[in-house]
mmCIF file of all heavy atoms in Angstrom:
data_model
loop_
_atom_site.group_PDB
_atom_site.id
_atom_site.type_symbol
_atom_site.label_atom_id
_atom_site.label_comp_id
_atom_site.label_asym_id
_atom_site.label_seq_id
_atom_site.Cartn_x
_atom_site.Cartn_y
_atom_site.Cartn_z
ATOM 1 N N VAL Y 124 154.092 129.296 85.692
ATOM 2 C CA VAL Y 124 152.966 129.651 84.821
ATOM 3 C C VAL Y 124 152.675 131.157 84.860
ATOM 4 O O VAL Y 124 151.742 131.614 84.237
ATOM 5 C CB VAL Y 124 151.663 128.881 85.144
ATOM 6 C CG1 VAL Y 124 151.830 127.413 84.880
ATOM 7 C CG2 VAL Y 124 151.205 129.126 86.558
ATOM 8 N N SER Y 125 153.497 131.902 85.601
ATOM 9 C CA SER Y 125 153.310 133.347 85.618
ATOM 10 C C SER Y 125 154.032 133.948 84.413
ATOM 11 O O SER Y 125 154.898 133.312 83.833
ATOM 12 C CB SER Y 125 153.901 133.927 86.907
ATOM 13 O OG SER Y 125 155.299 134.049 86.778
ATOM 14 N N PRO Y 126 153.650 135.170 84.049
ATOM 15 C CA PRO Y 126 154.285 135.762 82.860
ATOM 16 C C PRO Y 126 155.708 136.271 83.104
ATOM 17 O O PRO Y 126 156.285 136.883 82.223
ATOM 18 C CB PRO Y 126 153.335 136.912 82.487
ATOM 19 C CG PRO Y 126 152.446 137.123 83.637
ATOM 20 C CD PRO Y 126 152.573 135.992 84.584
ATOM 21 N N MET Y 127 156.289 136.000 84.250
ATOM 22 C CA MET Y 127 157.651 136.481 84.517
ATOM 23 C C MET Y 127 158.676 135.716 83.702
ATOM 24 O O MET Y 127 158.614 134.502 83.613
ATOM 25 C CB MET Y 127 158.002 136.276 85.984
ATOM 26 C CG MET Y 127 157.607 137.405 86.868
ATOM 27 S SD MET Y 127 158.243 137.103 88.512
ATOM 28 C CE MET Y 127 159.861 137.810 88.348
ATOM 29 N N PRO Y 128 159.659 136.424 83.142
ATOM 30 C CA PRO Y 128 160.720 135.704 82.436
ATOM 31 C C PRO Y 128 161.563 134.882 83.419
ATOM 32 O O PRO Y 128 161.737 135.276 84.574
ATOM 33 C CB PRO Y 128 161.570 136.805 81.799
ATOM 34 C CG PRO Y 128 161.035 138.095 82.275
ATOM 35 C CD PRO Y 128 159.800 137.870 83.068
ATOM 36 N N ARG Y 129 162.056 133.742 82.930
ATOM 37 C CA ARG Y 129 162.822 132.825 83.781
ATOM 38 C C ARG Y 129 164.029 133.509 84.437
ATOM 39 O O ARG Y 129 164.318 133.281 85.602
ATOM 40 C CB ARG Y 129 163.327 131.635 82.960
ATOM 41 C CG ARG Y 129 162.237 130.804 82.349
ATOM 42 C CD ARG Y 129 161.611 129.879 83.357
ATOM 43 N NE ARG Y 129 160.692 128.940 82.740
ATOM 44 C CZ ARG Y 129 159.391 129.130 82.625
ATOM 45 N NH1 ARG Y 129 158.843 130.235 83.071
ATOM 46 N NH2 ARG Y 129 158.620 128.228 82.069
ATOM 47 N N ALA Y 130 164.714 134.340 83.664
ATOM 48 C CA ALA Y 130 165.930 134.971 84.188
ATOM 49 C C ALA Y 130 165.600 135.843 85.401
ATOM 50 O O ALA Y 130 166.333 135.860 86.387
ATOM 51 C CB ALA Y 130 166.597 135.804 83.108
ATOM 52 N N LEU Y 131 164.472 136.528 85.334
ATOM 53 C CA LEU Y 131 164.086 137.420 86.427
ATOM 54 C C LEU Y 131 163.703 136.619 87.670
ATOM 55 O O LEU Y 131 164.005 137.020 88.801
ATOM 56 C CB LEU Y 131 162.909 138.290 85.971
ATOM 57 C CG LEU Y 131 162.774 139.636 86.659
ATOM 58 C CD1 LEU Y 131 163.979 140.499 86.406
ATOM 59 C CD2 LEU Y 131 161.507 140.339 86.195
ATOM 60 N N ILE Y 132 163.045 135.480 87.459
ATOM 61 C CA ILE Y 132 162.677 134.614 88.580
ATOM 62 C C ILE Y 132 163.934 134.190 89.326
ATOM 63 O O ILE Y 132 164.036 134.328 90.545
ATOM 64 C CB ILE Y 132 161.938 133.352 88.072
ATOM 65 C CG1 ILE Y 132 160.594 133.727 87.450
ATOM 66 C CG2 ILE Y 132 161.725 132.362 89.223
ATOM 67 C CD1 ILE Y 132 159.880 132.568 86.780
ATOM 68 N N LEU Y 133 164.912 133.708 88.555
ATOM 69 C CA LEU Y 133 166.141 133.224 89.180
ATOM 70 C C LEU Y 133 166.907 134.367 89.836
ATOM 71 O O LEU Y 133 167.428 134.227 90.936
ATOM 72 C CB LEU Y 133 167.020 132.519 88.145
ATOM 73 C CG LEU Y 133 168.240 131.838 88.747
ATOM 74 C CD1 LEU Y 133 167.820 130.639 89.579
ATOM 75 C CD2 LEU Y 133 169.225 131.408 87.685
ATOM 76 N N PHE Y 134 166.931 135.507 89.166
ATOM 77 C CA PHE Y 134 167.640 136.659 89.706
ATOM 78 C C PHE Y 134 167.042 137.050 91.063
ATOM 79 O O PHE Y 134 167.764 137.288 92.028
ATOM 80 C CB PHE Y 134 167.574 137.830 88.718
ATOM 81 C CG PHE Y 134 168.450 138.986 89.098
ATOM 82 C CD1 PHE Y 134 169.817 138.825 89.196
ATOM 83 C CD2 PHE Y 134 167.902 140.236 89.341
ATOM 84 C CE1 PHE Y 134 170.628 139.900 89.547
ATOM 85 C CE2 PHE Y 134 168.705 141.313 89.688
ATOM 86 C CZ PHE Y 134 170.072 141.139 89.791
ATOM 87 N N GLY Y 135 165.713 137.075 91.140
ATOM 88 C CA GLY Y 135 165.046 137.408 92.396
ATOM 89 C C GLY Y 135 165.382 136.420 93.490
ATOM 90 O O GLY Y 135 165.661 136.788 94.632
ATOM 91 N N LYS Y 136 165.373 135.157 93.130
ATOM 92 C CA LYS Y 136 165.670 134.109 94.107
ATOM 93 C C LYS Y 136 167.095 134.240 94.635
ATOM 94 O O LYS Y 136 167.333 134.192 95.840
ATOM 95 C CB LYS Y 136 165.513 132.726 93.454
ATOM 96 C CG LYS Y 136 164.150 132.110 93.636
ATOM 97 C CD LYS Y 136 164.153 130.659 93.230
ATOM 98 C CE LYS Y 136 164.048 129.741 94.427
ATOM 99 N NZ LYS Y 136 162.872 129.935 95.252
ATOM 100 N N VAL Y 137 168.045 134.409 93.717
ATOM 101 C CA VAL Y 137 169.451 134.496 94.116
ATOM 102 C C VAL Y 137 169.676 135.768 94.936
ATOM 103 O O VAL Y 137 170.372 135.757 95.947
ATOM 104 C CB VAL Y 137 170.368 134.454 92.879
ATOM 105 C CG1 VAL Y 137 171.807 134.728 93.279
ATOM 106 C CG2 VAL Y 137 170.278 133.092 92.203
ATOM 107 N N LEU Y 138 169.022 136.833 94.510
ATOM 108 C CA LEU Y 138 169.148 138.094 95.252
ATOM 109 C C LEU Y 138 168.633 137.930 96.684
ATOM 110 O O LEU Y 138 169.261 138.404 97.644
ATOM 111 C CB LEU Y 138 168.330 139.171 94.523
ATOM 112 C CG LEU Y 138 168.932 140.552 94.367
ATOM 113 C CD1 LEU Y 138 170.354 140.486 93.868
ATOM 114 C CD2 LEU Y 138 168.060 141.386 93.434
ATOM 115 N N GLY Y 139 167.511 137.244 96.827
ATOM 116 C CA GLY Y 139 166.946 137.007 98.158
ATOM 117 C C GLY Y 139 167.892 136.177 99.016
ATOM 118 O O GLY Y 139 168.181 136.533 100.163
ATOM 119 N N GLY Y 140 168.376 135.071 98.433
ATOM 120 C CA GLY Y 140 169.308 134.214 99.171
ATOM 121 C C GLY Y 140 170.566 134.968 99.542
ATOM 122 O O GLY Y 140 171.084 134.844 100.658
ATOM 123 N N ALA Y 141 171.054 135.798 98.620
ATOM 124 C CA ALA Y 141 172.286 136.551 98.851
ATOM 125 C C ALA Y 141 172.089 137.569 99.976
ATOM 126 O O ALA Y 141 172.985 137.791 100.793
ATOM 127 C CB ALA Y 141 172.713 137.257 97.571
ATOM 128 N N THR Y 142 170.889 138.157 100.020
ATOM 129 C CA THR Y 142 170.619 139.122 101.084
ATOM 130 C C THR Y 142 170.712 138.459 102.448
ATOM 131 O O THR Y 142 171.350 138.972 103.379
ATOM 132 C CB THR Y 142 169.206 139.722 100.907
ATOM 133 O OG1 THR Y 142 169.111 140.229 99.580
ATOM 134 C CG2 THR Y 142 168.953 140.816 101.901
ATOM 135 N N VAL Y 143 170.054 137.285 102.546
ATOM 136 C CA VAL Y 143 170.072 136.567 103.824
ATOM 137 C C VAL Y 143 171.502 136.177 104.181
ATOM 138 O O VAL Y 143 171.937 136.342 105.333
ATOM 139 C CB VAL Y 143 169.181 135.309 103.734
ATOM 140 C CG1 VAL Y 143 169.252 134.520 105.033
ATOM 141 C CG2 VAL Y 143 167.747 135.707 103.436
ATOM 142 N N ALA Y 144 172.254 135.683 103.189
ATOM 143 C CA ALA Y 144 173.625 135.252 103.452
ATOM 144 C C ALA Y 144 174.476 136.428 103.905
ATOM 145 O O ALA Y 144 175.302 136.311 104.811
ATOM 146 C CB ALA Y 144 174.215 134.616 102.198
ATOM 147 N N MET Y 145 174.255 137.582 103.281
ATOM 148 C CA MET Y 145 175.052 138.738 103.650
ATOM 149 C C MET Y 145 174.722 139.173 105.080
ATOM 150 O O MET Y 145 175.616 139.559 105.840
ATOM 151 C CB MET Y 145 174.810 139.889 102.689
ATOM 152 C CG MET Y 145 175.872 140.964 102.856
ATOM 153 S SD MET Y 145 175.664 142.343 101.755
ATOM 154 C CE MET Y 145 174.492 143.297 102.645
ATOM 155 N N VAL Y 146 173.453 139.091 105.444
ATOM 156 C CA VAL Y 146 173.068 139.434 106.811
ATOM 157 C C VAL Y 146 173.759 138.485 107.790
ATOM 158 O O VAL Y 146 174.321 138.916 108.804
ATOM 159 C CB VAL Y 146 171.532 139.373 106.983
ATOM 160 C CG1 VAL Y 146 171.149 139.451 108.454
ATOM 161 C CG2 VAL Y 146 170.884 140.504 106.202
ATOM 162 N N HIS Y 147 173.756 137.197 107.460
ATOM 163 C CA HIS Y 147 174.439 136.238 108.331
ATOM 164 C C HIS Y 147 175.936 136.529 108.404
ATOM 165 O O HIS Y 147 176.550 136.395 109.461
ATOM 166 C CB HIS Y 147 174.197 134.798 107.848
ATOM 167 C CG HIS Y 147 172.874 134.262 108.281
ATOM 168 N ND1 HIS Y 147 172.553 132.941 108.209
ATOM 169 C CD2 HIS Y 147 171.789 134.884 108.796
ATOM 170 C CE1 HIS Y 147 171.321 132.766 108.673
ATOM 171 N NE2 HIS Y 147 170.836 133.928 109.015
ATOM 172 N N GLY Y 148 176.511 136.924 107.269
ATOM 173 C CA GLY Y 148 177.919 137.290 107.269
ATOM 174 C C GLY Y 148 178.164 138.489 108.161
ATOM 175 O O GLY Y 148 179.150 138.543 108.910
ATOM 176 N N SER Y 149 177.234 139.443 108.134
ATOM 177 C CA SER Y 149 177.410 140.663 108.924
ATOM 178 C C SER Y 149 177.307 140.388 110.416
ATOM 179 O O SER Y 149 177.852 141.140 111.231
ATOM 180 C CB SER Y 149 176.349 141.705 108.558
ATOM 181 O OG SER Y 149 176.175 141.735 107.176
ATOM 182 N N LEU Y 150 176.582 139.307 110.773
ATOM 183 C CA LEU Y 150 176.473 138.972 112.203
ATOM 184 C C LEU Y 150 177.861 138.788 112.809
ATOM 185 O O LEU Y 150 178.094 139.117 113.971
ATOM 186 C CB LEU Y 150 175.676 137.672 112.379
ATOM 187 C CG LEU Y 150 174.183 137.722 112.044
ATOM 188 C CD1 LEU Y 150 173.557 136.347 112.221
ATOM 189 C CD2 LEU Y 150 173.474 138.732 112.939
ATOM 190 N N VAL Y 151 178.782 138.279 112.001
ATOM 191 C CA VAL Y 151 180.136 138.030 112.487
ATOM 192 C C VAL Y 151 180.786 139.357 112.914
ATOM 193 O O VAL Y 151 181.574 139.392 113.861
ATOM 194 C CB VAL Y 151 180.982 137.324 111.415
ATOM 195 C CG1 VAL Y 151 182.363 137.001 111.949
ATOM 196 C CG2 VAL Y 151 180.286 136.064 110.933
ATOM 197 N N LEU Y 152 180.428 140.428 112.212
ATOM 198 C CA LEU Y 152 181.051 141.727 112.502
ATOM 199 C C LEU Y 152 180.820 142.144 113.951
ATOM 200 O O LEU Y 152 181.619 142.877 114.546
ATOM 201 C CB LEU Y 152 180.506 142.804 111.557
ATOM 202 C CG LEU Y 152 180.882 142.642 110.077
ATOM 203 C CD1 LEU Y 152 180.285 143.769 109.255
ATOM 204 C CD2 LEU Y 152 182.392 142.614 109.919
ATOM 205 N N ALA Y 153 179.696 141.635 114.528
ATOM 206 C CA ALA Y 153 179.417 141.979 115.925
ATOM 207 C C ALA Y 153 180.490 141.422 116.852
ATOM 208 O O ALA Y 153 180.649 141.897 117.976
ATOM 209 C CB ALA Y 153 178.042 141.432 116.319
ATOM 210 N N LEU Y 154 181.223 140.422 116.381
ATOM 211 C CA LEU Y 154 182.260 139.817 117.220
ATOM 212 C C LEU Y 154 183.624 140.477 117.025
ATOM 213 O O LEU Y 154 184.628 140.015 117.565
ATOM 214 C CB LEU Y 154 182.379 138.321 116.914
ATOM 215 C CG LEU Y 154 181.140 137.464 117.197
ATOM 216 C CD1 LEU Y 154 181.366 136.040 116.748
ATOM 217 C CD2 LEU Y 154 180.803 137.507 118.681
#
Side-chain angles (χ1 to χ4, degrees):
Chain Y
V124 295
S125 80
M127 272 186 87
R129 299 282 188 266
L131 207 62
I132 294 173
L133 187 69
F134 189 61
K136 267 192 108 58
V137 173
L138 223 48
T142 307
V143 177
M145 194 180 84
V146 169
H147 279 194
S149 318
L150 291 178
V151 183
L152 293 180
L154 298 176

